[in-house]
Amino acid sequence: MAAKRVYQVWKGSNKFICGGRLVFGPDARSLFVTLLLIIVPVIIFCVCVARHLRHEFSPHNSGYAILAVAILFTIHVLVVLFLTSSGDPGIVPRNSHPPEEEFRYDSSVSADVGGAGRQTPSLQFPRTKEVVVNGIAVRVKYCETCMLYRPPRCSHCSICNNCVERFDHHCPWVGQCIGLRNYRYFFMFVSSATILCLYVFSLSALYIKVLMDNYDGTVWKAMKESPASVILMAYCFISLWFVGGLTGFHLYLIGTNQTTYENFRYRADSRINVFNRGCLNNFLEVFCTKVKPSRNNFRAFAREEVPRPLGPIIARPRDPDDGLGGDRRPKVEDDLDIGEDLLKISQRRNIEELDEEIRGRGSNGAPHHTSEPDSILSSDHRAPTIRSDARHSSWDRSGNWEIAQEVLANSNVTESRNYSKEMRQ
């Protein structure tokens, strides 16, 4: 059987193409909608607006620059969109086992079969722990899905089912999480889309103005002459509220060194932002630092996971009453001795009654000693002795024992015979 690669056994919800070279989110189909919203308006602009503006500027052929800029800038937008959606956003590799150094045992009371409470140790993890960032302690949480303590500013995306470093948000328009490794491209995408909307809107309005001057008409006649320009202006105006608003919002986040997740979650919190290094340094951190390499090699061959026993991980003192594991023979033998003593106690009454009966017969009775009752009893009245082969106990985890049925039966027979002799007297 051929060995599988990492992307083939990936536990997240990502989608891979080109043999694991490109990684997308589970909602990557929405990327086609985004592409249509960009490409279709640009094609309409180039055919219905930019083509008619080629000869409206001097020198005569300078108007071709309008068409060239529109095409090149659209390509730039598509490239940064591709870089945003097709790369690793900063996924933290999940562990195959919980972190051993954080194991601890917590005792909780549980009732056994006999009804007695017993301290049962259970494996526990601290839900949070503190790490130091810029000299300030920051609390990080344990992720049960990825079985790791998340690094600072890391969060688990419920859509991609991954922990992402410097998690900002999951963007459905690009079909990918926005995190440490693609946040720069995401901002370039929304800001470039904003500039493209402004460019198309401005030149469409310019073409309406040119039509008004050429035909000496009103704005309504110009709009009837080029309805495509009106549609493009309306479309760009609406889009500007979206991509333009995102651009302004993320400019504020970059200047204060926040993420969208942190801004919405800790908006009312007055805690100090330990990551804020000043406005200029915050912009340099986003745009002028080298993008960290991915922590995942999706094309590498996956390692076969070997189950790891939890026994030797932590040594804990064994409870002397714990019957789980170890040699259970001393425990069973003790309970057999207890059962034998209980049987003797239950038969003491029968022996004492027989002793009184023999004493009542007078001199015809044989001499006897109360310390040796077996020597004064005839074969019909001799109490059963508990032999090693006649005593059995069934031991379970709760420490219960059961006396063998044949022993109880013999005890009942002796008691019934003694009772019949008393009735004859």
Side-chain angles (χ1 to χ4, degrees), residues 386-400:
I386 303 176
R387 298 174 300 175
S388 59
D389 58 343
R391 57 184 185 184
H392 304 285
S393 65
S394 60
W395 170 259
D396 56 14
R397 295 179 60 181
S398 61
N400 295 329

Side-chain angles (χ1 to χ4, degrees), residues 399-417:
N400 295 329
W401 54 270
E402 295 178 359
I403 304 172
Q405 297 297 329
E406 60 268 20
V407 176
L408 293 178
N410 293 334
S411 178
N412 294 334
V413 170
T414 304
E415 186 176 356
S416 62
R417 289 179 178 177

Side-chain angles (χ1 to χ4, degrees), residues 1-23 296-303 305:
M1 182 177 179
K4 294 185 178 181
R5 299 186 183 270
V6 173
Y7 76 91
Q8 295 175 322
V9 296
W10 188 252
K11 295 182 180 180
S13 303
N14 303 90
K15 296 181 179 179
F16 300 88
I17 63 174
C18 298
R21 294 177 176 87
L22 302 178
V23 51
N296 302 278
N297 185 3
F298 298 108
R299 289 185 49 78
F301 289 100
R303 298 179 181 178
E305 295 183 3

Side-chain angles (χ1 to χ4, degrees), residues 73 189-199 240 242-245 247:
F73 206 75
F189 165 68
V190 294
S191 58
S192 300
T194 301
I195 297 174
L196 182 61
C197 287
L198 289 173
Y199 181 79
L240 277 172
F242 179 69
V243 293
T247 302

Side-chain angles (χ1 to χ4, degrees), residues 246-313:
L246 278 177
T247 302
F249 177 65
H250 282 279
L251 282 173
Y252 162 75
L253 293 180
I254 295 173
T256 57
N257 204 333
Q258 298 182 68
T259 64
T260 303
Y261 178 80
E262 293 169 349
N263 181 265
F264 278 88
R265 182 164 186 174
Y266 305 118
R267 178 178 299 176
D269 199 342
S270 58
R271 72 180 66 186
I272 299 176
N273 185 2
V274 298
F275 306 101
N276 192 353
R277 303 166 55 190
C279 184
L280 179 60
N281 291 328
N282 292 337
F283 274 91
L284 292 177
E285 179 183 342
V286 173
F287 297 106
C288 299
T289 57
K290 185 178 179 180
V291 178
K292 292 184 178 181
S294 174
R295 300 174 62 177
N296 302 278
N297 185 3
F298 298 108
R299 289 185 49 78
F301 289 100
R303 298 179 181 178
E304 184 178 358
E305 295 183 3
V306 179
R308 183 179 303 176
L310 295 180
I313 292 178

